Amino acid sequence: MDEFHKRLTALRQQFHQDPELGFEEHRTKARVAERLRQLGLEVHEGVGVIGVLKSGGGNRAIGLRADMDALPIHEATDQDYKSQNTGVMHACGHDGHMAMLLGAAEVLAQSRDFDGTVVFIFQPNEEHGLGAQAMIAEGLLERFELEEIYAIHNLPGDPLGQVSTRQGQICASESLFEITLRGQGGHASMPHVGVDAITVGAELVLALQTIVSRKLAPSSGAVVSVTEFITDGQRNVLPGLARLKGDVRARAPEDRLALERFMRQITSGIAAAHGVTATMSFDTEFIETLNATDPTEAVVRVAQAMQIATLADRPPMSFSEDFAHFSAAVPGCFLLLGNGVSGAHGQPLHSADYDFNDALLPIGAALWAELVRDRLPNRKTTDV
């Protein structure tokens, strides 16, 4: 392991030991800002942290994003750098994403072999889909006129360093719903006297599953999951109130809108059939992540030129990504880097026994740097 790799590893493990939840990344932000200043970058601190690096006389600018927040998970690894904050863990690899981007900043700050401006974006609260919007509301895109924006996410289970991406939709939207049913509770021995909400709710749970199986195309990739069923019933008391909560994923905006419409129709129909009242909320926290053509082609071209194994048209992912709000405003590309297939490196994201693979750090940093050189070519080189 060379000195550069050792520095990135130490930095990543330091982030891992001290994880912080969304919008609470105070020490993390300070650590990122300090490192950017050490590298000589212009630093802006606000909702997140922004580092600006300019080279040459070009007026083009691109953005590179890393996320900073951790998850409310009790770590189950036995690493000597495991989380020191009880119940909080970097279980999605954001510690590694920060370290890779800081590594790229170091490489580019030393080489200055590009022409234009690189905006290094360290975003808070990706996990709840709120950080990107907060940075946009703060004026990020007005202050820095980005032509393109990129983000890397590690992917456990894929071979180490493998690049995969696709044009168009790459990550699903996520919408949270809540349905409240109000019937007439009563004694468990006399269900005919009222309309217990638990029976109506059970029928509704099953009916909602027919949306994906019967109302959308089989290839839609949509998911409707009821994840909570809460009532005011007791051992011998039929509930008069039931609340269903859940999660909806969609790969296309039109499917997301159709899902909400069908859910409302089914809820209202079943409620009417049983003589209960129903209310429903449907809140989209993550929109679909869409990759633009030119940035995606650039990622594939650069990765292949680096002789990195590359999947240029991977299947869309079912998870959601806050980067969607950036790529909806600026042409962008969200790409995945294989985290390895064995041990903690192959465990699923958000798993208590997952860990970011430190062998990926120099690969990601080098990929970032080469992508900048491709998108902001040095005129002295291209004019020869």
Side-chain angles (χ1 to χ4, degrees), residues 211-233:
I211 297 174
V212 172
S213 65
R214 290 296 180 268
K215 296 182 180 295
L216 297 181
S219 60
S220 70
V223 180
V224 177
S225 296
V226 178
T227 57
E228 296 182 69
F229 195 143
I230 306 162
T231 78
D232 62 351

Side-chain angles (χ1 to χ4, degrees), residues 122-138:
F122 293 84
Q123 176 206 312
N125 207 340
E126 187 280 326
E127 295 292 352
H128 290 104
L130 300 173
Q133 294 178 86
M135 294 192 81
I136 291 170
E138 194 177 46

Side-chain angles (χ1 to χ4, degrees), residues 1-286:
M1 185 183 295
D2 61 23
E3 290 303 315
F4 177 65
H5 193 177
K6 287 179 181 178
R7 283 197 301 277
L8 294 189
T9 298
L11 185 61
R12 199 284 292 187
Q13 293 180 4
Q14 187 179 36
F15 284 134
H16 190 88
Q17 279 190 309
D18 190 16
E20 297 174 290
L21 298 175
F23 289 145
E24 298 176 5
E25 307 97 332
H26 308 301
R27 294 181 302 278
T28 302
K29 288 169 59 178
R31 199 168 285 130
V32 167
E34 178 184 19
R35 182 58 183 151
L36 291 172
R37 290 192 176 97
Q38 289 173 349
L39 296 172
L41 275 67
E42 172 188 325
V43 177
H44 302 262
E45 295 183 70
V47 173
V49 180
I50 299 169
V52 181
L53 182 63
K54 299 179 181 180
S55 180
N59 59 5
R60 298 180 60 234
I62 64 172
L64 310 179
R65 188 221 70 169
D67 29 23
M68 299 189 293
D69 54 324
L71 287 155
I73 293 174
H74 289 270
E75 184 165 0
T77 75
D78 56 0
Q79 306 287 6
D80 56 7
Y81 51 82
K82 69 183 297 183
S83 172
Q84 300 300 302
N85 301 333
T86 303
V88 183
M89 176 191 175
H90 271 299
C92 201
H94 297 182
D95 48 349
H97 301 167
M98 289 184 283
M100 287 192 296
L101 192 53
L102 288 169
E106 178 178 342
V107 170
L108 293 168
Q110 291 174 352
S111 66
R112 305 273 177 162
D113 52 353
F114 63 94
D115 185 51
T117 301
V118 185
V119 181
F120 298 86
I121 302 165
F122 293 84
Q123 176 206 312
N125 207 340
E126 187 280 326
E127 295 292 352
H128 290 104
L130 300 173
Q133 294 178 86
M135 294 192 81
I136 291 170
E138 194 177 46
L140 167 65
L141 300 182
E142 286 76 25
R143 182 183 297 179
F144 307 102
E145 296 183 5
L146 304 177
E147 291 188 7
E148 298 171 349
I149 192 165
Y150 298 84
I152 288 176
H153 204 295
N154 79 97
L155 187 60
D158 272 12
L160 177 66
Q162 176 181 276
V163 170
S164 62
T165 189
R166 63 179 283 114
Q167 294 182 32
Q169 185 267 332
I170 186 167
C171 295
S173 62
E174 181 186 23
S175 304
L176 302 180
F177 67 87
E178 182 171 330
I179 300 169
T180 301
L181 301 171
R182 298 182 184 277
Q184 176 61 60
H187 200 287
S189 68
M190 296 181 289
H192 60 287
V193 175
V195 182
D196 69 287
I198 200 166
T199 302
V200 182
E203 181 176 335
L204 182 55
V205 170
L206 295 177
L208 291 175
Q209 300 311 304
T210 65
I211 297 174
V212 172
S213 65
R214 290 296 180 268
K215 296 182 180 295
L216 297 181
S219 60
S220 70
V223 180
V224 177
S225 296
V226 178
T227 57
E228 296 182 69
F229 195 143
I230 306 162
T231 78
D232 62 351
Q234 299 294 329
R235 174 188 171 196
N236 61 350
V237 178
L238 293 171
L241 175 70
R243 186 170 289 113
L244 308 182
K245 297 183 181 182
D247 183 284
V248 173
R249 306 286 172 138
R251 293 181 178 178
E254 56 270 25
D255 286 343
R256 169 163 44 88
L257 296 173
L259 284 162
E260 179 181 3
R261 184 174 70 255
F262 289 136
M263 288 178 70
R264 291 188 183 279
Q265 288 175 353
I266 289 172
T267 298
S268 130
I270 289 178
H274 290 281
V276 303
T277 61
T279 57
M280 174 179 155
S281 64
F282 188 97
D283 299 311
T284 298
E285 295 197 338
F286 294 84

Side-chain angles (χ1 to χ4, degrees), residues 163 297-312 367:
V163 170
E297 289 179 345
V299 166
V300 171
R301 179 176 63 250
V302 168
Q304 291 176 338
M306 295 175 68
Q307 298 186 327
I308 296 174
T310 306
L311 298 179
L367 179 61

